[in-house]
Amino acid sequence: MTRTPKRPLAGQPLGIPQASASLRRSLGVLCCVGSMGLPVIAHAAAWTLVHVDAPVTVIHDNARYQTGAGQRLALNDIVETPAHGAAQLQDDETGNRVALAANTRVLLMHDAHIALLNGWLKATHACAGATHCLAGSIDTAQLRINLSDASTVVVAAAPPDYREVDAVFSESGMASITASANAAKPPAPLKLNAPQFALQAVQGPSTRNESMTIGSNADGRSTQGSASTQMSPTSPAPATSASTAVAPAPSGLAVSNRPDPTFIAAMPVAFRDALPVLSSPGPIRMTPPSDARPVTYDDVSDWLTSTLPARRDPTSRFVDRFRKRLSDASFRRDVTVHLHDLPEWHDLIYPPPPPPPRVIPRALNNASTNVSSFAYPVTPFRP
């Protein structure tokens, strides 16, 4: 008798041997339905925590737990580093390595895609040795950064120690940057070749007033003209040399040929070294620990109210993921209090009334009956 293979459970950690690794790589994960009504197949990256300075927090599905190195992470897991501890994630199948500084929060999405809520992140992609080479990408609230083969980037997402804006440093290789997927009409990608640096233009009066032309030559590197910069008294001093002068790019970014000194000074010291390939210090744990607890509103409030594209992405939509927590009175109360920031939750808190039943007018019923009598007489007509 042929046995039917078991189907993976929803929210199950990646790598549980219910399907072979080759099958998972071939089929990927059925993650969403496209605009044409067709299923979209996406590869689920198999991230593993290979190093932590201190236990990190993981939000898996609707549960929260703390763990250390050797933990296999699942699709749409949220990873948060503590105030005094960094971590490194690795996916050998896709050729991606990611270092997280202290006080950094990320969401691990499909196709080696990472949503960076806040903090510092360093990512390296290299196809050499990868069994399913897949270049990673990083979303912040304002930017989308796509890596290429043999590339490394350092990304800052509104860190309090650096201007509280988004910035990208291309350490090696080439990365492409566009405005966030939230933009109605994202501009063409901007190529950022090492060691170029891009800074999200500061919005607000009198904080920055720059004028410089920028274009691209045959190899994608930027070309610059003259610049005029005015800084507010509280802004960090700008770089003044021609090679580091900041220029507004067509994509709304400010681009320079090297990172400015304040970025380097604020960047975690460990990010100055290359990301090594690490092995897990022990056996890989495929499932979350048994002491995981349900998330509270405070655990996920910053994610729920964020402007990250992941908030409404069909593969990670937060309202779909956390709606089951509305059965908890405290969670429901907190969502209700913050409903002005969570419009997508309104109908779950205050369900709309059901539509009224359809009533067919009596005259229409009679007309239908009469028509039916003439069309199909009970007594045969004889001349």
Side-chain angles (χ1 to χ4, degrees):
M1 182 176 64
T2 303
R3 299 185 63 182
T4 303
K6 295 181 180 179
R7 298 177 61 187
L9 299 176
Q12 188 176 36
L14 303 178
I16 292 181
Q18 290 191 341
S20 68
S22 60
L23 180 61
R24 290 196 307 272
R25 288 194 297 268
S26 300
L27 298 181
V29 173
L30 184 62
C31 65
C32 58
V33 176
S35 59
M36 298 294 292
L38 302 175
V40 178
I41 301 298
H43 176 79
W47 293 104
T48 302
L49 273 169
V50 293
H51 171 79
V52 297
D53 292 335
V56 301
T57 297
V58 177
I59 298 176
H60 171 69
D61 194 16
N62 282 253
R64 180 182 187 271
Y65 66 91
Q66 288 193 316
T67 190
Q71 181 69 51
R72 177 63 60 87
L73 301 165
L75 180 67
N76 289 334
D77 272 1
I78 292 172
V79 181
E80 303 179 344
T81 54
H84 302 289
Q88 181 169 325
L89 313 178
Q90 210 163 273
D91 179 11
D92 295 331
E93 287 190 6
T94 61
N96 291 291
R97 304 189 295 277
V98 172
L100 308 178
N103 278 328
T104 296
R105 293 181 284 182
V106 297
L107 168 69
L108 307 177
M109 302 175 66
H110 60 89
D111 293 335
H113 189 166
I114 294 178
L116 175 60
L117 180 64
N118 65 279
W120 291 85
L121 175 152
K122 182 172 184 176
T124 293
H125 174 63
C127 284
T131 57
H132 187 91
C133 184
L134 182 63
S137 60
I138 302 150
D139 269 351
T140 69
Q142 299 172 316
L143 306 175
R144 169 162 291 180
I145 304 103
N146 297 302
L147 281 73
S148 59
D149 188 24
S151 63
T152 298
V153 296
V154 176
V155 183
D161 50 353
Y162 181 70
R163 304 193 188 191
E164 297 189 358
V165 295
D166 295 349
V168 184
F169 167 45
S170 178
E171 181 180 294
S172 63
M174 187 274 291
S176 64
I177 306 175
T178 61
S180 164
N182 289 326
K185 293 183 178 180
L190 173 71
K191 291 183 179 180
L192 203 67
N193 292 277
Q196 288 183 312
F197 173 75
L199 174 71
Q200 180 65 27
V202 179
Q203 303 295 326
S206 303
T207 56
R208 202 173 184 89
N209 181 16
E210 298 156 332
S211 175
M212 180 176 285
T213 58
I214 183 168
S216 297
N217 55 22
D219 63 358
R221 293 185 179 272
S222 62
T223 58
Q224 300 176 345
S226 61
S228 174
T229 303
Q230 295 179 355
M231 304 294 293
S232 68
T234 58
S235 300
T240 56
S241 68
S243 61
T244 59
V246 178
S251 60
L253 299 173
V255 177
S256 59
N257 283 340
R258 290 202 303 268
D260 68 77
T262 54
F263 179 88
I264 296 298
M267 187 177 73
V269 175
F271 281 16
R272 298 179 184 181
D273 298 327
L275 280 183
V277 177
L278 300 178
S279 300
S280 177
I284 296 177
R285 300 182 298 280
M286 296 294 189
T287 58
S290 58
D291 60 351
R293 64 161 176 80
V295 295
T296 65
Y297 179 80
D298 288 341
D299 291 334
V300 296
S301 60
D302 288 344
W303 289 98
L304 298 183
T305 58
S306 73
T307 57
L308 286 167
R311 175 177 173 177
R312 295 179 174 84
D313 189 290
T315 67
S316 59
R317 195 162 23 225
F318 297 155
V319 66
D320 295 337
R321 173 176 179 174
F322 296 110
R323 62 185 298 173
K324 64 183 70 173
R325 291 295 296 136
L326 291 176
S327 61
D328 177 76
S330 297
F331 192 97
R332 190 181 191 91
R333 182 185 64 248
D334 290 336
V335 169
T336 304
V337 169
H338 298 91
L339 209 52
H340 59 286
D341 296 323
L342 304 167
E344 65 269 37
W345 290 76
H346 182 275
D347 287 353
L348 295 177
I349 301 298
Y350 302 108
R358 185 180 178 186
V359 178
I360 301 177
R362 182 180 298 274
L364 183 58
N365 281 333
N366 293 338
S368 299
T369 303
N370 294 335
V371 171
S372 178
S373 298
F374 282 108
Y376 303 100
V378 176
T379 304
F381 174 78
R382 299 180 184 278

